[in-house]
Amino acid sequence: MPTSVAVSPTPAAAAKPTLWSRLKGGDQIAYLISITFAALVLLLAVAIFWVLWNQSAMARHKFGIGFFTSQAWDHNNDVYGALPFIYGTLLTSVLALLISIPLGVGAAIFLAELAPPRLSNALTFLVELLAAVPSVIYGLLAIFTVVPLLRDYVEPALKGTLGFLPLFSGQIYGFSYLAAGLVLAIMTFPFIISVSRESLLDVPRDQREAALALGATHWESTWDVVVPFARLGIMGSIFLGLARALGETMAVTMVIGNSPRISASLFASGYTIAAAIANEFAEASSDIFRSSLIYLGLVLFLLTIVINGAARLLIVATTRKGSS
């Protein structure tokens, strides 16, 4: 006799969770909170741009695009141009990176790969302590140490040996582009070390052991395997240092000389956008003067966005190249 098998009816499709059930579970609440925070960041950036754009309307209408190419900064005739400040900002930032990148990355490699753990931890603590020092302290120390050292020893030596180059010619003042670049290098140094060290430590141990198993030395494993693996983090630390250098105010103001002119010599005094705003905004006696300073702030804001956008594109391009 055939055995009958009871077949249960097919259950209906599971109903989609309602909004209340998702809120009760916490998923929808977490999503709403996180998207709100993300939107606030975007709104904050838009608000900063809008305020700077609105408050600089007078200078934009009077000077137009010529504001970016003019070297004039005349309070008596209310004629202003941003070129000396853009030049000083870019020059000091580039100088800072040229000094701090090899030193910072080299120190990070030593702390992450070569130094004994106790020494690495102690030096890392000191590096992080340097990152917390206020910029005005760096400026004071630079006035009493870096500026006299450059004026009395370094700059005369550079002029005596490389004076035939425009970069190392001209009068020696001590307060100069070179002093500002050196101070910025000291200030960006801890950021590059800290972030690069963490990126190197995040490299899987298997990568090191595989290189050593193939016969590589410790240094070959570090330089040929670990550093390329952590290159994105190292590049991120460099651009973090660049962002710090672009916006630094007090320390640069105290050592750069604050002269709104363009010079090919690193020994000459100069000015940066942040230093000009900090020095002259409180003394802005006319509306066009105040608007021009706010216009400088808008230029610095856009300059920062452009440089960080270029950095992001470079990182993406490097990632794709490595993936391919």
Side-chain angles (χ1 to χ4, degrees), residues 232 235 239 308-320:
L232 294 182
M235 292 175 62
F239 289 110
N308 281 278
R312 176 58 58 184
L313 292 176
L314 179 61
I315 292 176
V316 170
T318 305
T319 304
R320 290 177 177 175

Side-chain angles (χ1 to χ4, degrees), residues 192-258:
I192 295 178
I193 292 178
S194 297
V195 179
S196 297
R197 175 181 176 272
E198 294 300 324
S199 300
L200 292 168
L201 292 176
D202 287 339
V203 176
R205 187 175 180 84
D206 295 344
Q207 299 290 329
R208 300 174 176 85
E209 293 178 349
L212 294 174
L214 292 174
T217 64
H218 192 180
W219 173 249
E220 290 173 340
S221 171
T222 299
W223 185 252
D224 295 332
V225 177
V226 177
V227 172
F229 197 95
R231 67 183 181 277
L232 294 182
I234 295 174
M235 292 175 62
S237 71
I238 292 171
F239 289 110
L240 179 63
L242 176 59
R244 174 68 186 271
L246 286 173
E248 182 50 47
T249 305
M250 289 308 301
V252 175
T253 304
M254 298 169 74
V255 300
I256 198 172
N258 302 325

Side-chain angles (χ1 to χ4, degrees), residues 53-70 72-81 286-293 295:
W53 180 266
N54 187 42
Q55 294 298 319
S56 63
M58 184 179 296
R60 287 188 290 103
H61 294 156
K62 181 176 182 179
F63 304 118
I65 196 67
F67 185 76
F68 298 93
T69 58
S70 173
W73 194 258
D74 188 354
H75 305 311
N76 296 325
N77 298 315
D78 282 335
V79 178
Y80 304 102
S286 63
D287 292 337
I288 187 63
F289 188 11
R290 187 179 302 106
S291 180
S292 298
L293 290 173
Y295 200 6

